[in-house]
Amino acid sequence: MTNRANKFALYVLMFNMFIAMSGIGLIIPIMPQYLDTFGVAGQTLGFLIATFSLAQFIFSPLAGDLSDKHGRKKLIIFGLIVFGISQLTFGISTELWMLYVSRFFSGLGSAFIIPPMMAFVADITTYEERGKGMGLLGASMSLGFMIGPAIGGFFSRISLEFPFYVATTAALVAATISYFALPNPPPKVTTEPATIVKRENLFKQMKRSTRTSYFVILIVMFVFSFGLANFQSTISIYVDKKYFYTPTQIAIIITAGGFVGVIAQTFIINKLFKRFGEMRVILVNLVIAAFAMIGILFVHMFWSILLVSAIFFTATSLLRPAVNTLVSKLAGNEQGFAAGMMTAYMSLGNMIGPALAGTLFDINMSFPYIIGTVILLTCFTIAFIWAGKNRTLLSDLGS
């Protein structure tokens, strides 16, 4: 980030990410009561989140492809508009099938927001500054997810539908600001082979991703997204059903964890990358996230649940920019492709995690957290072995 224009562009991207994630986060504290009006519970909540992630999975590689071909700006604006309208339709839905359709289009909109923005950061930052740029984008993601539940909890006092109207307005305002204020630099793609890859369909791109140098890191993205989505999708309904927490209390739990994560991503993450490298940050936080996830079953007071949740959310908030930065460094000229793949693997985790967690939750409240912990620790083992075999490569990258 060597000039003022690039810094300004990064600030606009951070604002867009904040708006998108706050729109996703604001529904979390109100969903238990909102779904009660439809007479459904945990499994439906899980599948609603999975529907969002299914659309994100399908369209993220396409968004990365199109952003490499046509530039990032148009895709971001389109995604914000679709996302905003889908939030409105969710809030005015009267039938369960309408909720599923709305969440699908929310995922589609998100797919056209996140990969182009990640690739945009790679376009406007130097190799050395990329970790900082990804960290700031990740911080805005965490901040949005932190503020979103607080907004949802506050405005739910007016009505359960009102937070969705707020999310719609915010997304459309972000699209308008992006149209007038966001530059449109050419993507950093120079090689013909990369262009050919991006014209492949989703499944061929997924197959090709298994042959990249960063495939194991994509698996890490999938697994920690699985664990994060598992936790996020069930924590609100867990404390609602077990402790009868209100939307405001649920919002506080999620907001506090997000706040600590934002502080870490804004002021600490770049220092951690420079001192320890992205790979060590990934490994340590996988372990912390795993123990925090299982720890939620052994705490019962509000403050202790708040503390364990904060530890979990902080660990996962550090994982995301670490994974994004490491993959971006390994991707070379294929930034759009890599960003699309990262979001696709993230979406797979976000899709499978809530669907499985919701089903397991209806069987036993503890099962989602036990299974999630096992999967996170398995991921740590795989990543640890890969890091040992690729020590030279990681050393050359400063990781």
Side-chain angles (χ1 to χ4, degrees):
M1 291 176 288
T2 57
N3 60 63
R4 188 174 300 176
N6 285 347
K7 289 183 178 179
F8 178 74
L10 180 60
Y11 295 148
V12 175
L13 294 173
M14 290 170 63
F15 176 75
N16 289 342
M17 184 66 83
F18 168 79
I19 291 299
M21 295 308 296
S22 62
I24 295 171
L26 67 82
I27 74 169
I28 291 177
I30 63 177
M31 282 303 281
Q33 290 189 16
Y34 190 69
L35 291 179
D36 281 345
T37 64
F38 291 85
V40 292
Q43 188 176 53
T44 299
L45 175 59
F47 278 106
L48 280 171
I49 299 173
T51 299
F52 176 98
S53 301
L54 173 63
Q56 202 175 45
F57 167 70
I58 293 172
F59 292 103
S60 288
L62 175 63
D65 182 344
L66 293 176
S67 75
D68 277 343
K69 189 175 182 180
H70 301 292
R72 323 298 186 194
K73 180 176 178 177
K74 294 178 181 178
L75 276 296
I76 293 169
I77 294 171
F78 172 76
L80 286 167
I81 293 172
V82 172
F83 182 81
I85 294 174
S86 68
Q87 292 290 83
L88 175 63
T89 59
F90 193 92
I92 63 176
S93 295
T94 56
E95 301 289 340
L96 191 59
W97 67 266
M98 297 172 68
L99 298 181
Y100 281 105
V101 172
S102 297
R103 292 308 287 170
F104 184 86
F105 278 96
S106 288
L108 187 154
S110 177
F112 279 85
I113 296 171
I114 297 176
M117 285 201 287
M118 290 165 54
F120 205 130
V121 170
D123 292 339
I124 62 175
T125 57
T126 64
Y127 185 87
E128 293 75 17
E129 289 288 312
R130 189 152 316 153
K132 181 179 180 181
M134 291 294 184
L136 289 172
L137 192 67
S140 64
M141 179 181 289
S142 297
L143 182 64
F145 202 82
M146 176 190 76
I147 298 296
I151 295 172
F154 177 78
F155 284 115
S156 66
R157 298 178 180 180
I158 299 174
S159 74
L160 289 177
E161 295 80 17
F162 193 76
F164 299 102
Y165 307 151
V166 175
T168 298
T169 303
L172 295 181
V173 167
T176 303
I177 292 174
S178 297
Y179 179 81
F180 290 105
L182 195 65
N184 196 26
K188 291 181 180 176
V189 179
T190 58
T191 58
E192 182 62 24
T195 304
I196 293 172
V197 168
K198 293 177 181 63
R199 291 175 180 171
E200 295 175 341
N201 62 43
L202 169 61
F203 298 104
K204 288 184 178 179
Q205 288 190 48
M206 293 291 290
K207 182 178 180 181
R208 184 183 182 278
S209 73
T210 65
R211 300 191 296 271
T212 62
S213 60
Y214 48 85
F215 173 63
V216 168
I217 310 303
L218 293 176
I219 295 298
V220 172
M221 172 65 83
F222 163 74
V223 172
F224 102 75
S225 297
F226 175 97
L228 179 60
N230 188 328
F231 190 90
Q232 289 174 339
S233 65
T234 56
I235 189 63
S236 60
I237 199 166
Y238 176 78
V239 295
D240 173 70
K241 301 300 182 185
K242 189 169 184 177
Y243 303 111
F244 306 103
Y245 284 3
T246 65
T248 301
Q249 289 175 303
I250 296 171
I252 292 172
I253 289 173
I254 298 170
T255 300
F259 177 76
V260 178
V262 168
I263 297 299
Q265 286 180 322
T266 305
F267 299 106
I268 301 174
I269 189 70
N270 203 45
K271 295 178 181 178
L272 291 176
F273 287 170
K274 289 181 178 179
R275 182 170 181 179
F276 302 108
E278 292 85 3
M279 196 66 224
R280 288 185 183 177
V281 173
I282 290 170
L283 293 173
V284 169
N285 284 285
L286 279 171
V287 174
I288 294 174
F291 282 100
M293 174 169 278
I294 196 68
I296 203 70
L297 300 178
F298 299 95
V299 292
H300 308 287
M301 303 294 291
F302 178 81
W303 69 266
S304 57
I305 294 174
L306 182 66
L307 176 62
V308 172
S309 297
I311 293 172
F312 179 84
F313 284 124
T314 301
T316 53
S317 70
L318 292 174
L319 273 166
R320 192 183 304 277
V323 171
N324 290 343
T325 303
L326 186 54
V327 171
S328 181
K329 286 182 176 181
L330 290 165
N333 289 324
E334 298 183 332
Q335 294 297 325
F337 172 75
M341 286 296 98
M342 280 190 286
T343 307
Y345 278 83
M346 178 185 71
S347 301
L348 271 178
N350 290 342
M351 177 172 59
I352 298 172
L356 179 61
T359 302
L360 292 173
F361 184 90
D362 286 344
I363 299 172
N364 187 296
M365 289 187 189
S366 301
F367 285 176
Y369 305 103
I370 296 171
I371 298 299
T373 299
V374 171
I375 291 175
L376 285 171
L377 291 176
T378 302
C379 178
F380 165 81
T381 303
I382 294 171
F384 183 81
I385 294 172
W386 180 86
K389 292 181 178 179
N390 293 272
R391 194 167 298 165
T392 302
L393 173 63
L394 293 172
S395 179
D396 291 341
L397 293 173
S399 296

